[in-house]
Amino acid sequence: MDTISIGKHNPLLADIRKAIQRGSLTSGGLLPIEGPRLVQEAYASGIRIETLLLREGCSIADLPPASVRYTLELGAFKGVQDTEHSQGVIALVRPRVWTLDQVLSGLKAPVAVLGGLQDPGNVGTILRIVESFSGGGCLGLSGTVSVHNPKVVRASAGSVFRLPHAWNLSFENMVDALRAKEIPLVGTSPYAADTLMSWDWSRPAAILIGNEGSGLSSSQVSACSAMLQIPHAPQTESLNSAIAAAVVFYEAARGRSLP
């Protein structure tokens, strides 16, 4: 096993730190992920493990093969770890990339459209929810937190490696693409006349989930083919975006008679 220099200005470590801080890929197009479970999820999903960085003294069995392995002394590893109590494993992986057209082509199930969500925990959880209920994918509009944000990746629990998704999309271009494929854009509102149960979930749809604070904008509502209500107790003003997504995608799965 090779041993990498512990210098804080080492180009590889600096590149990883920058990617983690920005929620982006490295200059070589690689995604840093942390923890043995997430590394195993990536490998089991068919994602190539390019590099493994192991903290000195870390002995974790059954790590997947990697093109290169390095051992880092404690100080060097702390400089790149993103979690407070790291298990001593970081991998650089090459994630799959989908386009908007690829996500929508041949769609048979609803997709989530994230309209400027800022909480990475919510975004990662929604990715996991959509996969859990056999959704068709996830679309992140401009202003939504990066899908490469470390907290998004961890909260997705591996779904980010498998679920088709496209990010940094303009709302106008996405709406045009949906209309070209005759896929309705559906929003939710506590004031909508129709409920989730009244919608025909046997056909694909794009479920628009608004920003945590401001919800859907007037222009977003105007572009929707339908607004649906999630029935709940009237004294509760609204639901958390991830919880709302879970209710919608569960109902969509139930409406399609999925087990």
Side-chain angles (χ1 to χ4, degrees):
M1 184 178 293
D2 299 323
T3 301
I4 197 169
S5 167
I6 64 170
K8 63 180 181 180
H9 299 299
N10 179 278
L12 175 60
L13 300 188
D15 197 20
I16 293 172
R17 280 193 295 269
K18 187 182 295 184
I20 290 172
Q21 290 165 1
R22 294 179 176 177
S24 65
L25 302 179
T26 67
S27 59
L30 301 177
L31 176 67
I33 60 175
E34 186 171 345
R37 183 171 181 178
L38 200 55
V39 174
Q40 288 285 11
E41 281 282 352
Y43 183 68
S45 303
I47 301 297
R48 180 173 175 175
I49 312 296
E50 297 285 354
T51 302
L52 274 176
L53 305 174
L54 305 179
R55 185 178 60 209
E56 192 174 48
C58 173
S59 56
I60 297 177
D62 300 325
L63 284 174
S67 300
V68 183
R69 286 192 178 206
Y70 294 119
T71 298
L72 276 66
E73 291 188 4
L74 180 60
F77 193 90
K78 279 189 172 181
V80 290
Q81 73 182 54
D82 183 61
T83 58
E84 185 176 355
H85 303 291
S86 177
Q87 294 178 273
V89 179
I90 294 173
L92 298 178
V93 304
R94 192 168 298 281
R96 293 187 178 95
V97 178
W98 289 269
T99 64
L100 172 60
D101 187 63
Q102 286 172 334
V103 175
L104 297 181
S105 292
L107 196 65
K108 291 184 172 30
V111 296
V113 179
L114 309 187
L117 272 68
Q118 289 298 297
D119 187 314
N122 281 340
V123 171
T125 300
I126 290 171
L127 287 165
R128 187 178 186 185
I129 286 166
V130 175
E131 184 184 35
S132 296
F133 294 117
S134 302
C138 191
L139 304 174
L141 300 181
S142 297
T144 298
V145 66
S146 170
V147 74
H148 300 132
N149 181 292
K151 292 180 181 177
V152 170
V153 175
R154 287 197 296 273
S156 81
S159 293
V160 71
F161 303 130
R162 299 179 293 268
L163 184 72
H165 60 269
W167 234 248
N168 297 321
L169 305 171
S170 85
F171 182 65
E172 293 77 13
N173 289 345
M174 185 214 62
V175 169
D176 288 344
L178 291 175
R179 288 173 177 167
K181 294 182 181 296
E182 299 183 341
I183 298 172
L185 181 65
V186 178
T188 63
S189 167
Y191 310 108
D194 297 323
T195 68
L196 295 180
M197 290 71 77
S198 66
W199 186 257
D200 178 10
W201 294 109
S202 65
R203 56 178 177 155
I207 311 303
L208 182 56
I209 301 169
N211 174 273
E212 294 93 346
S214 57
L216 300 180
S217 68
S218 57
S219 61
Q220 289 173 335
V221 171
S222 297
C224 287
S225 301
M227 296 294 294
L228 302 177
Q229 178 193 144
I230 301 175
H232 58 75
Q235 65 268 26
T236 305
E237 183 178 349
S238 61
L239 298 175
N240 165 278
S241 58
I243 293 174
V247 174
V248 173
F249 277 84
Y250 169 79
E251 178 60 26
R254 193 187 70 82
R256 302 194 313 280
S257 300
L258 297 181

